[in-house]
Amino acid sequence: LPWCTTGTSCTMADITREKYGIDLSDIQAARKRLGSDVHTTPVFTSSTLDNLTHRQVFLKCENLQKVGAFKFRGALNAVRKLPAEATSVVTHSSGNHAQALALAARVSGKTAHIVMPSNSPQCKQAAVRDYGGIITLCEPTQAAREAACSAIQASVPHSVIVPPYDYLDVIEGQGTMALELLEQVADLDAIVVPVGGGGMLAGVALAAKSLKPSIRIIGAEPELADDCAVSKAAGERVPLPAPTTTVADGLRTSLGLLNWPIIRDLVDEIVTVSEEEIVAATRFIWERVKLVIEPSAGVGVAAVLSPKFASSTATSNNSPQQLARVGVILCGGNVDLDHLPWAKKQ
């Protein structure tokens, strides 16, 4: 087969636009396109986290990105690549891409129509409205999301659908965080990336493996939304069989068609974590690192804290000591403060 198999070291010659639709040059061009309109997010460390994981962990703080999540990178890149005659954009999102596209549209002089699942956090719905987005609520299923988007596009002249993750322009934008991280932290052995639809994981994997083929890319996923782990094990894309209730609301979607080949070939492994692990890791970052993150970001931290992380890397001919310097993407910080995941329900 023409692709790199899991666990092998790909070279830049293996990662081509013909194979994946984009390559490193597209991500580098996206970085120039975004310029100073996205934040170069900082990298935080915690000696307590290092001690708990027995390695150095570097937290890439996309929770401090504009709109409070990495999604602004992909959304703004996509909007800036649209033709001038496109005056409106349409998407579906549980929250972070919704906010990102609403702001990207506003700063670009366009109108954003956002389809959101009815169970999206109220804080995220409010933020979308604050950024000027026009919200349509739908049932929390992929089919309902896509149907609502199609209906809006049909009724709004000169509108273009900008999907939240299964879109090459979005993947390009998300990959820019890997370019930053590899410049900010020398000699990383691995990057841990939360995965839902897979746009961030695909972009990071493509950028990082192109620049440093030996780096390990590890997806982190809730056990209640483990379609990426199932797909990797099966060798084919296996969507979630039904809607999920994981506390990591930003990761409740199935892998995208365009993201899957990149993830299949360039991601070394997937670590799944329980709901209890996600909540504990999220709370740990709040209490000990003093950063506000959402549970979807806590998934990556839970992965490096999990016994599965050490055991899975060891079975891939990498002892925990060899993964001495690990980057973790804190993908977002948009939290409903009235419904914190560790708060006791009344």
Side-chain angles (χ1 to χ4, degrees):
L1 294 176
W3 52 76
C4 298
T5 57
T6 300
T8 63
S9 290
C10 299
T11 66
M12 281 193 65
D14 298 313
I15 303 173
T16 64
R17 188 179 291 118
E18 290 72 24
K19 191 180 296 182
Y20 300 123
I22 59 173
D23 62 14
L24 178 62
S25 67
D26 295 302
I27 295 174
Q28 291 169 328
R31 190 178 188 184
K32 292 181 180 178
R33 189 176 297 114
L34 297 176
S36 60
D37 289 321
V38 300
H39 295 319
T40 299
T41 52
V43 174
F44 278 35
T45 59
S46 164
S47 59
T48 303
L49 184 57
D50 291 351
N51 290 335
L52 289 170
T53 60
H54 306 291
R55 66 190 87 230
Q56 289 182 283
V57 178
F58 300 89
L59 303 170
K60 177 64 169 165
C61 296
E62 287 296 296
N63 58 313
L64 301 179
Q65 185 55 261
K66 290 182 180 179
V67 309
F70 76 97
K71 292 281 191 177
F72 188 63
R73 296 176 183 268
L76 187 59
N77 186 59
V79 170
R80 287 197 164 159
K81 293 183 73 174
L82 291 175
E85 57 268 23
T87 57
S88 297
V89 290
V90 184
T91 199
H92 63 84
S93 168
S94 61
N96 285 341
H97 179 66
Q99 295 176 64
L101 191 63
L103 179 58
R106 190 179 76 182
V107 301
S108 303
K110 302 180 188 299
T111 302
H113 296 266
I114 312 295
V115 174
M116 301 186 73
S118 56
N119 60 354
S120 299
Q122 288 298 316
C123 64
K124 294 185 179 182
Q125 293 186 40
V128 170
R129 293 189 179 96
D130 287 344
Y131 289 129
I134 301 170
I135 296 176
T136 298
L137 296 177
C138 71
E139 291 299 310
T141 67
Q142 191 72 10
R145 289 179 177 211
E146 293 173 356
C149 277
S150 296
I152 292 170
Q153 185 187 31
S155 64
V156 177
H158 308 295
S159 60
V160 176
I161 292 179
V162 179
Y165 50 84
D166 203 22
Y167 195 57
L168 293 177
D169 295 344
V170 168
I171 299 169
E172 289 173 7
Q174 316 309 26
T176 61
M177 75 182 79
L179 304 184
E180 288 180 12
L181 179 58
L182 291 176
E183 291 175 358
Q184 291 169 312
V185 183
D187 300 323
L188 275 180
D189 298 310
I191 303 176
V192 178
V193 187
V195 56
M200 174 170 57
L201 179 57
V204 168
L206 196 148
K209 288 282 191 179
S210 295
L211 292 170
K212 186 177 181 180
S214 64
I215 197 168
R216 291 182 64 79
I217 304 299
I218 300 168
E221 189 173 43
E223 289 177 353
L224 293 185
D226 65 348
D227 61 299
C228 190
V230 171
S231 297
K232 288 284 282 184
E236 62 181 3
R237 179 176 170 271
V238 181
L240 288 169
T244 174
T245 58
T246 176
V247 68
D249 61 280
L251 308 182
R252 291 173 180 167
T253 52
S254 295
L255 284 179
L257 292 168
L258 297 175
N259 300 314
W260 165 240
I262 302 172
I263 292 169
R264 175 196 63 200
D265 300 350
L266 304 183
V267 174
D268 294 280
E269 62 186 297
I270 307 297
V271 175
T272 59
V273 291
S274 69
E275 296 297 286
E276 292 77 14
E277 288 175 307
I278 296 169
V279 172
T282 303
R283 183 168 183 164
F284 171 86
I285 295 297
W286 279 57
E287 291 182 342
R288 303 306 295 269
V289 190
K290 313 306 179 187
L291 287 171
V292 174
I293 64 167
E294 60 190 86
S296 296
V299 170
V301 180
V304 297
L305 287 167
S306 170
K308 294 179 183 178
F309 187 80
S311 62
S312 62
T313 53
T315 60
S316 301
N317 300 317
N318 284 275
S319 70
Q321 290 72 29
Q322 287 176 295
L323 293 184
R325 295 168 64 82
V326 177
V328 178
I329 306 296
L330 298 183
C331 55
N334 293 313
V335 183
D336 187 343
L337 296 177
D338 291 326
H339 298 88
L340 293 175
W342 50 81
K344 293 181 179 180
K345 294 183 178 180
Q346 300 297 319

